[in-house]
Amino acid sequence: DQQVKQNSPSLSVQEGRISILNCDYTNSMFDYFLWYKKYPAEGPTFLISISSIKDKNEDGRFTVFLNKSAKHLSLHIVPSQPGDSAVYFCAASANNNDMRFGAGTRLTVKP
Amino acid sequence: KAGVTQTPRYLIKTRGQQVTLSCSPISGHRSVSWYQQTPGQGLQFLFEYFSETQRNKGNFPGRFSGRQFSNSRSEMNVSTLELGDSALYLCASSLDAGSGNTIYFGEGSWLTVV
């Protein structure tokens, strides 16, 4: 059951521009959302998170937006850098429950 | 602080064999989760352990099992291996599971079944 969906398998952006990665979820019980970044042959690394009581969280070049009514969250990277090229996974969890991941979006930032 | 450690990093097994993968969580973390990553399927949740008890389980057949020891270290076992079990198996740890807890991943164990 795909409770967390990332409908874009890939995204290509020019260096310096904004990258927007999207994620949709179906379970209204989810109340904590995270983004992970994964390079080949490495485990995913935590990037940024947001609680359902907020609609925006910012950390440097990374901003996560949450739209609870639409069950949608997005990750904005501004400005995008070539080193941001990786697979990005969004994840969601509900209280006392396991964390569910999307299928991932491969971001390529071109110099 | 050492991160999540998984062993072995790479292994090749033949169909029908069984395999055991090991995970040492970050010190102080009591929750350990296991995920399977295959191309195009993202991270599929296998199971989660806390204080030696399996609290949550994903939609995988009974051939996939795990356990957690008193020191929070965890192992997962796959019996009667099939070609489709070839994947990256990731272990993650957190202080606890659920809302508000960030999980941290190990490097993963690459399993190839031939």
Side-chain angles (χ1 to χ4, degrees), chain A residues 4-6 21-25 35 71-74 90-91 102:
Chain A
V4 179
K5 297 180 183 179
Q6 293 176 257
L21 298 107
N22 294 302
C23 179
D24 297 294
Y25 61 95
W35 284 94
K71 295 193 179 66
H72 176 85
L73 68 155
S74 61
C90 74

Side-chain angles (χ1 to χ4, degrees), chain A residues 39-103:
Chain A
Y39 292 117
E42 295 183 10
T45 55
F46 169 71
L47 201 55
I48 192 170
S49 64
I50 187 168
S51 163
S52 61
I53 62 174
K54 294 185 175 181
D55 53 19
K56 176 183 174 182
N57 189 27
E58 192 172 353
D59 183 3
R61 296 184 298 113
F62 303 91
T63 303
V64 56
F65 295 92
L66 175 63
N67 183 334
K68 288 186 290 294
S69 60
K71 295 193 179 66
H72 176 85
L73 68 155
S74 61
L75 174 68
H76 293 210
I77 307 174
V78 183
S80 301
Q81 300 173 353
D84 296 329
S85 297
V87 176
Y88 289 78
F89 292 98
C90 74
S93 68
N95 189 36
N96 200 31
N97 207 336
D98 54 86
M99 192 171 292
R100 301 286 172 157
F101 285 79

Side-chain angles (χ1 to χ4, degrees), chain A residues 31-32 36 38 43 97 99 101, chain B residues 35 37 43 98-100 102-103 106:
Chain A
D31 57 5
Y32 188 58
Y36 284 82
K38 186 180 185 299
N97 207 336
M99 192 171 292
F101 285 79
Chain B
Y35 292 83
Q37 185 190 10
L43 296 167
S99 182
T102 300
I103 65 173

Side-chain angles (χ1 to χ4, degrees), chain B residues 81-100:
Chain B
L81 283 166
E82 300 176 359
L83 295 178
D85 296 333
S86 295
L88 174 66
Y89 290 88
L90 290 159
C91 169
S93 76
S94 67
L95 287 170
D96 196 347
S99 182

